[in-house]
Amino acid sequence: MKQYGFIPNMLDKSKFNRRLHKIGKLLYELFEIVSSYYKDLCCELHYIIDSFPVAVCNNMRIANCKIFKDKKWRGYTASMRNYFYGVKVQLLTTKDGIPIAFHFTPGKTGDAKALGKMIDKLPAEASLYGDSAYTDYGLEDIALDRKCIFLKIQRKSNAKRIDTLEQKYEKLKIRKRVETAISDIKKMFPRTIHAVTLEGFLIKLTLFVFGLQLNKSIN
């Protein structure tokens, strides 16, 4: 943009990052304001949850990584059958794929453990769809009894609670929306996300999620 004269007095990378760090909390507050529009004014009651990994470096460079220094950041992605070193983004969207909440967890953290924090973001009488990684029967009962929130989690073949064919079809159909949203976020990623601190890395991930929320809201 500087080359073509759109921003003649563009900040250098260092100054831009310093300013970005100063508004990190503001970005999240703005995200929450847009989210409240869908939860409170639009009375949205159908939500989807899924997670995706974001590696901070290649596996061969883990020993030299300065942002993370613990085994808890090393996770495994079953769908891709590979290990990664970084964070998981727990993404909560509307049924139309608009992000309304997100949460960062270390790569090793299971999805079911993050589910409890995401439920607090939902209004009463909402339905939340997720894959089998979010299976927690105890939490399903608590969410229904205390908050009147229906957790519609996909069931494994050996699950204690079995879905009907109609329920399976409903869950599979709705969950495709969040997979599309995750794909749209990843399309915005550069080849590498440059950061020298954990805070800076998470701020930049926040920007990508917030960017998709604004794009979906406008369209």
Side-chain angles (χ1 to χ4, degrees), residues 8-210:
N9 300 317
M10 181 182 288
L11 296 174
D12 60 33
K13 186 186 294 184
S14 178
K15 287 184 179 179
F16 175 78
N17 280 323
R18 286 200 296 271
R19 291 193 182 184
L20 190 60
H21 276 250
K22 289 181 180 180
I23 64 169
K25 292 182 180 179
L26 176 61
L27 290 171
Y28 188 76
E29 290 173 2
L30 292 173
F31 179 88
E32 287 288 301
I33 290 172
V34 179
S35 298
S36 64
Y37 168 79
Y38 291 98
K39 291 188 289 184
D40 302 332
L41 298 181
C42 295
C43 299
E44 177 66 53
L45 292 177
H46 295 279
Y47 299 89
I48 321 167
I49 188 172
D50 203 354
S51 67
F52 63 96
V54 182
V56 71
C57 66
N58 295 327
N59 285 333
M60 64 172 52
R61 297 184 178 178
I62 290 176
N64 298 324
C65 182
K66 296 181 180 179
I67 298 179
F68 303 137
K69 288 290 184 182
D70 203 321
K71 291 182 178 180
K72 68 179 182 180
W73 302 104
R74 185 172 176 81
Y76 179 74
T77 308
S79 59
M80 301 178 184
R81 297 182 180 179
N82 66 351
Y83 287 91
F84 70 96
Y85 194 67
V87 301
K88 272 186 181 179
V89 182
Q90 301 289 338
L91 184 66
L92 190 67
T93 74
T94 65
K95 66 178 184 300
D96 296 319
I98 301 173
I100 59 100
F102 61 93
H103 180 62
F104 301 122
T105 62
K108 194 175 181 179
T109 304
D111 290 339
K113 292 183 178 180
L115 183 57
K117 294 184 178 181
M118 303 303 283
I119 289 175
D120 294 335
K121 303 286 185 179
L122 298 175
E125 299 184 3
S127 295
L128 179 61
Y129 297 82
D131 61 27
S132 58
Y134 293 96
T135 300
D136 187 329
Y137 299 130
L139 189 58
E140 287 182 27
D141 296 335
I142 292 173
L144 183 60
D145 294 339
R146 297 181 182 178
K147 300 185 178 182
C148 199
I149 293 175
F150 301 87
L151 297 186
K152 298 186 177 183
I153 308 301
Q154 281 184 292
R155 304 303 185 192
K156 295 181 180 179
S157 58
N158 60 347
K160 295 180 180 179
R161 301 179 183 181
I162 305 299
D163 285 339
T164 62
L165 289 176
E166 183 179 354
Q167 288 172 326
K168 289 181 180 179
Y169 177 76
E170 177 193 12
K171 292 176 181 180
L172 284 172
K173 182 179 179 181
I174 292 181
R175 277 203 62 255
K176 289 182 180 179
R177 307 281 175 82
V178 72
E179 292 174 357
T180 302
I182 290 173
S183 177
D184 289 339
I185 291 174
K186 289 182 176 180
K187 287 177 183 177
M188 292 188 284
F189 283 4
R191 183 174 296 178
T192 58
I193 300 175
H194 177 74
V196 295
T197 64
L198 175 57
E199 181 185 4
F201 187 72
L202 298 183
I203 285 175
K204 289 177 180 178
L205 290 182
T206 300
L207 282 170
F208 292 121
V209 179
F210 188 28

